[in-house]
C-alpha cells in the first residue's frame, strides 16, 4: 500500500479530532478517569469498526486508508464537511471523497407492476445497499409508512437498527439484524468503493454498538429465503415466509415478498391488515 500523501499531518489531524471528543458525545460509557482528554484509540477503532492495530498505524502514518475507511472515520470523529474534505486531502484521497448527492436508483417498471399485483401480500423492492425503493400497501400496513421516511434514510438495514417501530416488530431481532448486516457485507464485496455504502456503514457504526460488533465480524450471507417472526401492534404474532428474487437485468433490484400458509393464523392476520388498510384508504379519499 502506498503511504498517505502527508502521513504526519494525517496522524496529527486524527489525534486532534480524537482529543476533541468525549465518550458521552459519541454514546460511549465513561468507565474511568482519563489522564488525557478525548477518546482512546481503542474507542475510535470500535466506533469505526476497524482494528485497533490498523487505526494505530494510521495515526503513525504507516498505512494508507481506503475511501471506505475514511468515510467510517469521518462519522466516528463527527467531522463536518470542511473537516471531511481536509481528511481526504491529507490522506491523498481528495478525488475519492464521497459525494453528498445520492445517485438516484430508478425503479424498474416490471417491479412496479409486480407490486401492484400483490394486494394482500407485503412486498418491497430493495435496491443497492438494500435501499427500499418501492413498497405496496400491505408492506406499509405490516412495517411502517415508508412514505413518511426521508428517501435518504429509507434503507432496510438502517430501519432495522434505528426505526423503533420496525425494530420492535421483529421478534427475533438479533437474528434478523445480524443476517441483514451479513447481507450488507455482501454488498460491500460487490462494490467496495461505493461511497453511499461507506456512509451508511459509518453512520450505523456510530449509532449502534451491535452493528459495530457484527460488521467487524466480517460474516457474509446471501440467503434469499427464510422465515420471519413478527409481533404487530394490531394483529399480534405472525410467522411469514420471506423470499427474495433478483432482477435479471443486473440492476441489483430485488423483490422481497412475505407470505403465510393458506388458512393459518398469520394468513388471517395479513388479510385483516389488508382490509384495514383498504378501509383507511377509502376513508381518506
Amino acid at each position: 500500500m502506498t503511504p498517505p500523501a502527508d502521513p504526519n499531518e494525517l496522524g496529527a489531524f486524527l489525534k486532534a479530532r480524537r482529543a476533541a471528543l468525549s465518550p458521552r458525545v459519541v454514546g460511549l460509557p465513561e468507565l474511568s478517569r482519563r489522564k488525557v482528554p478525548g477518546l482512546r484509540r481503542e474507542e475510535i477503532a470500535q466506533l469505526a469498526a476497524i482494528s485497533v492495530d490498523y487505526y494505530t498505524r494510521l495515526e503513525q502514518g504507516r498505512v494508507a486508508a481506503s475511501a471506505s475507511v475514511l468515510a467510517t472515520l469521518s462519522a466516528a470523529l463527527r467531522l463536518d464537511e470542511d473537516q471531511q474534505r481536509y481528511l481526504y486531502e491529507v490522506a491523498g484521497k481528495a478525488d475519492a471523497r464521497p459525494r453528498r448527492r445520492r445517485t438516484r436508483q430508478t425503479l424498474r417498471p416490471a417491479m412496479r407492476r409486480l407490486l401492484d399485483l400483490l394486494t394482500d401480500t407485503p412486498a418491497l423492492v430493495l435496491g443497492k445497499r438494500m435501499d427500499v425503493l418501492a413498497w405496496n400497501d400491505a408492506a406499509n400496513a405490516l412495517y411502517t409508512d415508508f412514505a413518511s421516511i426521508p428517501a435518504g434514510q429509507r434503507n432496510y438495514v438502517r430501519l432495522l437498527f434505528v426505526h423503533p417501530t420496525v425494530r420492535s416488530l421483529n421478534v427475533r431481532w438479533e437474528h434478523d439484524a445480524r443476517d441483514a448486516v451479513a447481507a450488507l457485507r455482501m454488498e460491500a464485496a460487490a462494490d467496495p468503493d461505493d461511497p453511499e455504502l461507506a456512509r451508511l456503514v459509518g453512520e450505523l457504526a456510530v449509532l449502534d454498538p451491535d452493528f459495530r460488533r457484527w460488521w467487524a465480524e466480517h460474516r457474509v450471507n446471501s440467503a434469499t429465503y427464510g422465515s420471519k417472526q413478527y409481533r404487530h401492534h394490531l394483529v399480534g404474532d405472525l410467522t411469514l415466509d420471506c423470499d427474495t428474487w433478483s432482477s435479471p437485468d443486473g440492476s441489483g433490484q430485488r423483490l422481497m415478498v412475505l407470505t403465510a400458509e393458506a388458512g393459518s393464523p398469520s394468513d388471517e392476520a395479513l388479510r385483516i391488515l389488508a382490509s384495514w388498510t383498504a378501509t383507511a384508504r377509502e376513508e381518506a379519499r
Side-chain angles (χ1 to χ4, degrees), residues 15 18 39-47 50-52 55-57 59-60:
K15 291 175 187 176
R18 179 163 61 86
L39 297 181
R40 301 185 177 100
R41 285 174 174 168
E42 294 84 356
E43 291 167 330
I44 290 296
Q46 177 189 0
L47 289 172
I50 58 178
S51 71
V52 178
Y55 179 76
T56 300
R57 286 186 288 152
E59 280 201 358
Q60 294 173 347

Side-chain angles (χ1 to χ4, degrees), residues 126 130 156-157 160-161 170 172-187 210-211 214-215 217-229 242 254 256:
L126 303 179
M130 301 174 72
Y156 183 77
V157 183
L160 265 179
F161 279 90
N170 290 262
R172 300 189 302 163
W173 179 83
E174 180 173 337
H175 173 274
D176 295 344
R178 290 191 72 176
D179 276 355
V181 173
L184 198 63
R185 265 286 178 195
M186 292 292 291
E187 296 271 344
D210 287 324
F211 181 91
W214 297 335
W215 183 259
E217 289 175 352
H218 289 261
R219 178 172 169 260
V220 294
N221 180 9
S222 60
T224 56
Y225 64 93
S227 66
K228 302 285 188 183
Q229 294 181 18
C242 179
R254 288 149 290 175
M256 173 178 158

